[in-house]
Amino acid sequence: MEIDESSSAAATMDEPQEEASAAQPPRIYRLDESVVNRIAAGEVIQRPVLAVKELVENSLDAGSTSISVTVKDGGLKLIQVSDNGHGIRHEDLPILCERHTTSKLSTYEDLQTIKSMGFRGEALASMTYVGHVTVTTITEGQLHGYRVSYRDGVMEHVPKPCAAVKGTQIMVENLFYNIVARRKTLQNSSDDYAKIVDLVSRFAIHNTPVCFSCRKHGANRADVQSVTTSSKLDAIKTVYGISVARELMEISASDDNPDQSIFKMTGFISNANYIAKKTTMVLFINDRLVECSALKRAIEVVYSATLPKAAKPFIYMSIELPSEHVDVNIHPTKREVSLLNQESLIETIQSAIESKLMNCNNTRTFQTQAVSSAPESSFSIRKDIQKNPSSSGGKFQKTPINRVVRTDSRDPSGRLHAYWSNGPSSQHQKKSDLASVRIAVRQRRNPRESADLTSIQELLNDVDQNIHSGLLDIVKDCTYIGLADDVLAVLQYSTHLYLVNVVNASKELMYQQAIRRFAHFSAIQLSEPAPIPELLIMALKDEDLKSTDDNDMDLKNKIAEMNTELLKQKAEMLEEYFCINIDQEGNLMRLPVLLEQHTPDMDHVPEFLLSLANDVDWENEKECLQTICAVLGNFYAMHPPVLPNPAGDGIQFYKKNPKSIDDTGDDLKNENPEKDDLDQELLAEAETAWAQREWNIQHVLFPSMRLFLKPPKSMATDGTFVQVASLEKLYKIFERC
Ligand code: ADP
Ligand code: MG
């Protein structure tokens, strides 16, 4: 409707809103048809890749079994899609590229049950408003085909007969020739070709009976070349490569509760070994390639919570829903669909993925266990440790300097000791303060009940049955000589010298102590409640330092929140059996004493909590208890301090204005410029930490090992105990002692 009342003292668009209401309203005009069409076209065909999507979908709708895409200049110069589908009738060619001409929909109600990709009759028309379109097509039984070009929705000439092979070939040239700004942006932005390759790859793995190819114009080799197959996994292998395909697990879920969601999901998801910078999520809903950011996020959350290292998964998922539950018409490019009961559908998929990932985690853990048949193997849940068990002791030692949490003054982990009421040496003085806590804890215990827990008895038996008697003799009667480096100690037994990995040995000792003291722990009270969500975020950041992506804070918050919830849910059991006290606000309050005179390094609290939330099998009693003991063991083990050892090359770390060290060095305090160029405060802290640890190894760890450690057989072969055979080595070690 045209509005034509007052004279045209129209306010300009630039004028402020308040004034505009006082002034005369602007005139409203009806836009020219060609402008309308061009605007609409710009919306439907936003980028070359979307033109390809529309053309490929048309080819699929035409029942093609072979679709090839050729692209020049990222699609700006040429996009050509050829198929072997049913073709287009000669008599339809005049209206083919008019807006709203389609063979797929006639009444609005058809939208409810529509199975074809297209339905709006807009794609081809749009392309003719922003590019030059040429169609060559032949239908079955014809002797020749026709070729015709279109501009602005209409044929430029009558269709010319031509030779043609079965199907249709549509060529779009000079895309956006008349939208200068768009063309410029696209020319400057990185090539759309990669997006087109990605798109065709996605179609190829879902539509396995169709053979796809995608190549640059003039190139001999196609960048995507699929073959007809019945197996989706084979298709993934062909398109994404064996390195992706071999890390995939098949997954399915379904729900036919009419009150909730009715759906069937099948697909493939990556396992813990798949490491990528970005999530790849190929999602088809009722065979439409769509995006669903809520689902993608939900899946990422499950991965980060279950397999933190593989938090960016590869997902191929096909979801079938009753068509009346899907609104396909909510997005101009049909990129998104709206689903009924989206929330519950996402939840069902989340839990299916979660249990699949848990299983794969468990399988890996117990596979290792089967080989080494030692409880130690249960520490190997994390992939990096598992791959190379003998080097696990060096994990913290090898932490690159820029990953050392304390070096960043903005990072609160350096202040963790604030939560810590007493240092290791003064713990005994605090004992009276703890007495009341202990009494409270003991009162709530029911010793008979814990004795009744057969799984803890089984774990004790497992330890007993797995003793390596030779190592037991060594442990009982050895003399401690000294540390050879950050993780290896030298022991003498009879006339032999042994190197012992103190990290592995202490981990095992603590694990066994946790089992033995089960439900009978004394408590270590933290001086201040330690907020679990914050600590978890710290741990996640530390794990994730390699990724430069800062945008996933939301995700980290979400994971931290989920993990805190989980720990809060388990709080009663953790308190009852392990004296790990978590309050209802989500604060860590108390930890157990595994060995008198020893307290864990509080710098490792964040990863302990992350591990407690993620590495514990909460399903089965025995596994649950075992994994909690393992997580505790790892936390209490005598890892090298987080600060590098100033006795060796680590001294570099304490230099002020270091040239060779990366930007973390900037955070070192410069308060004492008169003393060399070393940060004396940090250095002193490090020296104390290292000296303390050395003292603990000699006076706490080895005496306790003599008393309590039952060395498992695996320790003889995994590098925990190594007999030093050569004299040269001997001298080296003595030199360093
Ligand atoms: P829609 O796909 O929404 O129907 P399009 O503008 O994409 O609208 O296509 C218009 C019509 O042209 C389609 O309905 C279809 O009948 C015909 N068509 C387009 N591409 C092909 C093709 N590759 N093979 C056969 N028919 C086609
Ligand atoms: Mg279409």
Side-chain angles (χ1 to χ4, degrees):
M1 191 203 319
E2 214 158 306
I3 299 178
D4 192 14
E5 32 168 87
S6 64
S7 62
S8 62
T12 67
M13 296 298 282
D14 300 341
E15 273 174 328
Q17 209 77 60
E18 314 87 63
E19 281 174 43
S21 58
Q24 290 294 311
R27 287 287 307 277
I28 298 176
Y29 299 97
R30 188 187 297 277
L31 285 174
D32 195 75
E33 176 99 18
S34 66
V35 181
V36 174
N37 286 334
R38 207 187 288 172
I39 291 174
E43 233 173 69
V44 176
I45 310 295
Q46 291 164 353
R47 311 186 62 112
V49 65
L50 290 173
V52 177
K53 180 166 187 266
E54 292 290 346
L55 294 172
V56 169
E57 287 183 344
N58 279 346
S59 298
L60 288 169
D61 284 343
S64 313
T65 55
S66 166
I67 299 174
S68 32
V69 179
T70 308
V71 176
K72 193 170 175 181
D73 256 6
L76 290 180
K77 199 107 215 94
L78 168 79
I79 294 169
Q80 182 179 301
V81 176
S82 314
D83 65 47
N84 62 353
H86 56 50
I88 303 164
R89 290 167 206 268
H90 174 242
E91 60 269 31
D92 286 342
L93 288 174
I95 61 157
L96 175 72
C97 292
E98 275 177 34
R99 276 188 86 196
H100 312 305
T101 54
T102 176
S103 57
K104 302 167 192 171
L105 181 79
S106 54
T107 68
Y108 183 77
E109 286 65 39
D110 291 349
L111 254 187
Q112 290 247 310
T113 51
I114 194 111
K115 290 265 189 297
S116 57
M117 313 280 147
F119 49 80
R120 294 191 188 129
E122 252 182 351
L124 284 181
S126 298
M127 285 174 221
T128 68
Y129 285 98
V130 292
H132 304 139
V133 175
T134 304
V135 177
T136 309
T137 186
I138 184 169
T139 50
E140 184 133 20
Q142 299 296 305
L143 291 175
H144 60 79
Y146 288 96
R147 174 171 302 147
V148 56
S149 298
Y150 297 83
R151 273 252 185 140
D152 296 341
V154 293
M155 289 200 297
E156 288 191 306
H157 52 82
V158 289
K160 292 179 188 151
C162 66
V165 286
K166 181 176 188 260
T168 305
Q169 182 194 75
I170 298 186
M171 215 158 65
V172 183
E173 289 166 290
N174 304 320
L175 199 60
F176 306 129
Y177 72 97
N178 50 0
I179 311 181
V180 180
R182 176 94 51 105
R183 203 176 162 88
K184 279 223 171 96
T185 339
L186 288 168
Q187 266 166 350
N188 294 339
S189 79
S190 67
D191 198 337
D192 246 40
Y193 182 65
K195 293 195 169 66
I196 295 172
V197 167
D198 182 54
L199 175 89
V200 177
S201 307
R202 286 163 190 254
F203 276 120
I205 63 173
H206 183 70
N207 299 283
T208 48
V210 183
C211 162
F212 283 87
S213 78
C214 178
R215 72 182 75 224
K216 274 190 179 160
H217 181 73
N220 293 331
R221 256 190 86 240
D223 294 292
V224 181
Q225 180 67 66
S226 72
V227 288
T228 314
T229 164
S230 55
S231 148
K232 304 263 190 228
L233 194 58
D234 280 350
I236 297 174
K237 200 187 291 171
T238 314
V239 175
Y240 286 90
I242 178 90
S243 59
V244 173
R246 87 169 156 237
E247 309 299 358
L248 298 182
M249 306 180 283
E250 195 162 7
I251 184 159
S252 64
S254 58
D255 194 345
D256 46 18
N257 175 359
D259 299 333
Q260 306 254 314
S261 50
I262 310 175
F263 81 99
K264 202 166 135 332
M265 177 274 278
T266 53
F268 288 89
I269 63 170
S270 55
N271 62 21
N273 299 328
Y274 178 82
I275 307 283
K277 286 210 181 94
K278 267 173 60 188
T279 299
T280 305
M281 169 113 190
V282 182
L283 174 65
F284 284 81
I285 297 184
N286 289 357
D287 296 322
R288 277 168 207 285
L289 177 59
V290 291
E291 280 169 25
C292 180
S293 45
L295 179 60
K296 183 177 170 193
R297 238 151 198 263
I299 293 175
E300 284 178 333
V301 166
V302 175
Y303 267 83
S304 309
T306 322
L307 307 175
K309 288 251 152 53
K312 304 272 184 265
F314 178 98
I315 309 283
Y316 158 69
M317 191 172 280
S318 168
I319 299 176
E320 296 288 336
L321 288 157
S323 46
E324 63 273 21
H325 286 196
V326 187
D327 187 351
V328 292
N329 194 26
I330 61 155
H331 196 273
T333 65
K334 297 174 268 148
R335 192 178 70 188
E336 283 173 26
V337 292
S338 147
L339 310 175
L340 205 66
N341 298 321
Q342 178 167 307
E343 293 297 302
S344 78
L345 185 135
I346 288 180
E347 264 173 40
T348 315
I349 292 178
Q350 263 188 320
S351 53
I353 292 187
E354 190 176 30
S355 64
K356 191 88 195 176
L357 295 183
M358 294 287 211
N359 276 340
C360 96
N361 237 358
N362 290 348
T363 320
R364 292 190 315 137
T365 307
F366 297 117
Q367 268 170 2
T368 323
Q369 191 164 24
V371 177
S372 65
S373 63
E376 171 77 5
S377 60
S378 55
F379 302 128
S380 307
I381 294 165
R382 295 283 175 83
K383 199 186 85 199
D384 54 345
I385 304 177
Q386 185 189 20
K387 271 194 170 163
N388 193 358
S390 60
S391 71
S392 63
K395 191 190 166 201
F396 296 95
Q397 182 194 14
K398 287 196 198 107
T399 307
I401 283 169
N402 63 352
R403 298 201 63 200
V404 176
V405 282
R406 282 155 161 270
T407 59
D408 186 345
S409 60
R410 288 157 304 177
D411 190 325
S413 68
R415 282 178 258 129
L416 254 184
H417 290 273
Y419 301 120
W420 193 228
S421 56
N422 47 329
S425 53
S426 62
Q427 197 219 320
H428 278 292
Q429 298 154 12
K430 275 269 179 180
K431 272 198 167 163
S432 56
D433 298 23
L434 299 179
S436 57
V437 176
R438 287 179 189 166
I439 291 163
V441 172
R442 286 205 177 110
Q443 274 171 350
R444 264 190 288 140
R445 278 180 207 142
N446 179 349
R448 259 193 308 145
E449 192 183 305
S450 58
D452 282 345
L453 270 182
T454 48
S455 14
I456 211 73
Q457 201 52 52
E458 283 176 28
L459 288 173
L460 282 170
N461 291 343
D462 290 349
V463 170
D464 285 341
Q465 278 162 20
N466 198 27
I467 296 180
H468 187 290
S469 54
L471 289 182
L472 187 64
D473 291 343
I474 295 172
V475 168
K476 294 263 175 258
D477 288 313
C478 67
T479 311
Y480 174 79
I481 292 180
L483 280 177
D485 67 13
D486 293 349
V487 287
L488 295 176
V490 188
L491 297 183
Q492 188 181 348
Y493 171 69
S494 163
T495 54
H496 303 298
L497 284 182
Y498 291 87
L499 287 177
V500 183
N501 182 320
V502 293
V503 176
N504 285 355
S506 56
K507 210 186 268 186
E508 177 65 24
L509 173 69
M510 302 299 171
Y511 166 77
Q512 294 182 4
Q513 286 295 99
I515 301 176
R516 276 181 214 119
R517 296 195 169 188
F518 179 77
H520 290 85
F521 295 99
S522 302
I524 301 171
Q525 177 88 23
L526 305 196
S527 62
E528 273 179 53
I532 294 175
E534 277 173 53
L535 295 168
L536 286 170
I537 286 174
M538 244 150 68
L540 288 166
K541 276 193 192 156
D542 192 35
E543 284 217 353
D544 213 24
L545 267 188
K546 273 171 274 157
S547 103
T548 49
D549 183 9
D550 272 337
N551 299 333
D552 56 4
M553 254 333 275
D554 280 354
L555 185 65
K556 292 202 172 80
N557 285 329
K558 180 94 194 171
I559 298 164
E561 199 183 297
M562 275 176 54
N563 284 345
T564 310
E565 261 328 292
L566 174 72
L567 293 178
K568 269 159 61 178
Q569 271 173 30
K570 309 289 177 193
E572 202 182 324
M573 181 271 240
L574 289 171
E575 155 78 24
E576 176 87 354
Y577 291 150
F578 294 102
C579 192
I580 299 171
N581 182 287
I582 293 166
D583 71 11
Q584 272 319 290
E585 273 72 60
N587 295 305
L588 179 66
M589 309 290 284
R590 280 194 290 275
L591 287 167
V593 174
L594 297 192
L595 201 62
E596 312 309 328
Q597 291 181 304
H598 176 66
T599 50
D601 182 345
M602 295 306 278
D603 281 334
H604 296 309
V605 171
E607 51 179 90
F608 160 66
L609 291 169
L610 190 65
S611 197
L612 193 60
N614 293 298
D615 296 346
V616 171
D617 174 352
W618 300 101
E619 297 299 313
N620 312 303
E621 188 187 271
K622 183 177 172 188
E623 277 75 12
C624 174
L625 301 179
Q626 185 192 30
T627 44
I628 295 175
C629 291
V631 169
L632 277 171
N634 194 28
F635 176 30
Y636 282 62
M638 294 194 181
H639 299 285
V642 177
L643 286 168
N645 191 350
D649 290 343
I651 192 72
Q652 294 290 337
F653 178 78
Y654 303 92
K655 285 213 172 115
K656 287 176 182 171
N657 312 318
K659 289 183 186 63
S660 55
I661 297 176
D662 62 25
D663 59 353
T664 53
D666 298 344
D667 296 320
L668 299 182
K669 292 192 194 81
N670 265 320
E671 281 164 11
N672 295 323
E674 75 278 7
K675 294 211 176 181
D676 312 307
D677 63 342
L678 293 177
D679 186 322
Q680 296 298 336
E681 206 182 297
L682 205 60
L683 184 64
E685 197 183 326
E687 278 169 348
T688 315
W690 281 89
Q692 182 91 60
R693 173 172 178 264
E694 195 162 342
W695 191 91
N696 278 341
I697 289 171
Q698 182 172 2
H699 300 286
V700 179
L701 178 63
F702 278 94
S704 310
M705 278 170 54
R706 222 165 275 141
L707 289 172
F708 306 120
L709 182 68
K710 297 185 172 170
K713 296 190 175 94
S714 60
M715 279 192 169
T717 50
D718 67 6
T720 306
F721 281 79
V722 180
Q723 186 177 341
V724 182
S726 88
L727 272 177
E728 277 145 50
K729 271 190 196 164
L730 259 181
Y731 282 124
K732 258 192 195 154
I733 291 155
F734 278 122
E735 267 166 32
R736 296 186 67 175
C737 293

